[in-house]
Amino acid sequence: MKTSLSSYLYYNYSLEDAIRNTAAAGFDAIDIWGGRPHAYRDDLHEHEIRRIRLLLNDLGLTVTSLIPAQTHSQINLCHPKKAIRSDSVAYLNTCVETAARLGAPIISVLPGHRLHDQDMDAAWDLLADSLVQICEFASNYNVLIAIEPADVYESDLINTSIQALDMLEQIGCENLGVLFNTGHALLAGEDTSTVICNLGDQLLHVHLSDNDGKSDQHLVPGQGIFDFKALIHALQLTLYEGSLTAEPGWDYTLDPEPAAIACQDFMQNLIDS
């Protein structure tokens, strides 16, 4: 399994510097954050894309995925207003295009949150319709869509892998799968071995973050209570061939290098053990 790092850790750096620092920390790959100053909407012109791809090639890094800017943003795939949903779908379609241009095979999608008085079933169906539109668009670019079960502050529609699988079964899009986030799974009380077994080949990507079991702290893996050895064992049993992406959070962004090194050391020891 390759080790990858979310470029969000280098929030205060240019994308090119984030790539250089990720390589310097010893990672094989990078998840590119789709927000500013990295890869938001149409910010990257073609000459910049070419320069970034050359840099990645020179450093021996691959792009694991593109992570659209979605948390606490203007994006809501289940909003009752059609104009807001349409704009949200259009944004994620732009992310699909950006992913293809950068050579990323996957984009991750957060399910979104209902308005406080919005009917649950209605919101679910609106989310399903939005996902179908995104998947149909992404099929033209050979980009996979990975829906990410999220913490309750980020979504009240899909918080568990079972709910994600329900959505996959309902809409039947062949290029839609699941992203497993260790921090979110811990808060949802999911059993790691069971989840990985149930997801099977519908597991497209894995994000590693840690917490105390009470809030989504996005700690460096190993600094909370998640059982990462159980995760690696389950992934090996299911012959998972994707990458593991460390996703430390905002609190590390002012001094990212120690966090990057700690993530790489922990992940490499975990894989080698």
Side-chain angles (χ1 to χ4, degrees):
M1 283 174 274
K2 288 185 176 181
T3 60
S4 178
L5 181 68
S6 169
S7 76
Y8 181 81
L9 178 61
Y10 294 100
Y11 178 88
N12 297 309
Y13 292 63
S14 70
L15 177 54
E16 288 170 283
D17 282 343
I19 291 168
R20 292 187 184 96
N21 287 328
T22 297
F27 288 90
D28 305 306
I30 186 169
D31 275 30
I32 293 179
W33 182 53
R36 288 180 173 138
H38 291 178
Y40 184 71
R41 283 194 185 262
D42 299 315
D43 285 358
L44 294 175
H45 299 294
E46 281 306 314
H47 71 280
E48 294 171 300
I49 294 285
R50 288 195 297 272
R51 190 170 66 234
I52 288 166
R53 294 194 68 157
L54 284 171
L55 176 62
L56 289 163
N57 186 65
D58 288 345
L59 295 173
L61 284 184
T62 57
V63 182
T64 307
S65 80
L66 179 78
I67 308 171
Q70 300 167 90
T71 307
H72 308 306
S73 70
Q74 310 305 309
I75 306 306
N76 190 331
L77 296 172
C78 65
H79 199 282
K81 286 189 176 181
K82 183 177 180 180
I84 293 175
R85 294 197 311 279
S86 295
D87 181 68
S88 300
V89 168
Y91 165 68
L92 286 162
N93 286 347
T94 301
C95 292
V96 167
E97 292 178 320
T98 301
R101 293 162 68 206
L102 288 167
I106 299 169
I107 74 162
S108 54
V109 174
L110 288 173
H113 216 290
R114 294 177 300 144
L115 297 184
H116 78 281
D117 59 349
Q118 188 177 4
D119 178 76
M120 176 70 79
D121 290 340
W124 175 275
D125 288 340
L126 292 174
L127 171 62
D129 181 70
S130 295
L131 287 170
V132 168
Q133 293 179 59
I134 296 164
C135 288
E136 288 177 348
F137 183 86
S139 66
N140 298 313
Y141 292 86
N142 294 318
V143 170
L144 301 175
I145 308 300
I147 193 161
E148 179 177 1
D151 176 63
V152 292
Y153 288 99
E154 297 176 357
S155 176
D156 60 352
L157 292 174
I158 298 180
N159 307 116
T160 69
S161 61
I162 293 174
Q163 292 167 330
L165 288 171
D166 284 345
M167 179 60 76
L168 265 62
E169 182 178 359
Q170 176 174 327
I171 65 178
C173 294
E174 293 184 358
N175 59 339
L176 179 66
V178 180
L179 185 155
F180 179 76
N181 183 304
T182 58
H184 294 166
L186 178 60
L187 294 174
E190 294 200 281
D191 178 75
T192 299
S193 298
T194 302
V195 168
I196 300 303
C197 179
N198 288 342
L199 289 175
D201 60 6
Q202 291 171 310
L203 176 62
L204 299 182
H205 196 25
V206 178
H207 278 180
L208 306 188
S209 67
D210 216 342
N211 59 62
D212 59 4
K214 299 176 182 178
S215 63
D216 192 21
Q217 297 164 299
H218 276 268
L219 300 175
V220 166
Q223 295 185 357
I225 64 171
F226 185 85
D227 186 351
F228 287 97
K229 288 186 178 179
L231 171 67
I232 294 299
H233 180 65
L235 292 173
Q236 290 171 339
L237 286 177
T238 57
L239 305 179
Y240 175 72
E241 295 181 347
S243 297
L244 303 177
T245 294
E247 195 182 33
W250 175 258
D251 289 348
Y252 300 100
T253 56
L254 290 181
D255 187 22
E257 284 85 358
I261 293 170
C263 286
Q264 170 61 6
D265 288 346
F266 178 84
M267 293 165 68
Q268 200 59 60
N269 289 334
L270 189 66
I271 294 170
D272 292 342
S273 62

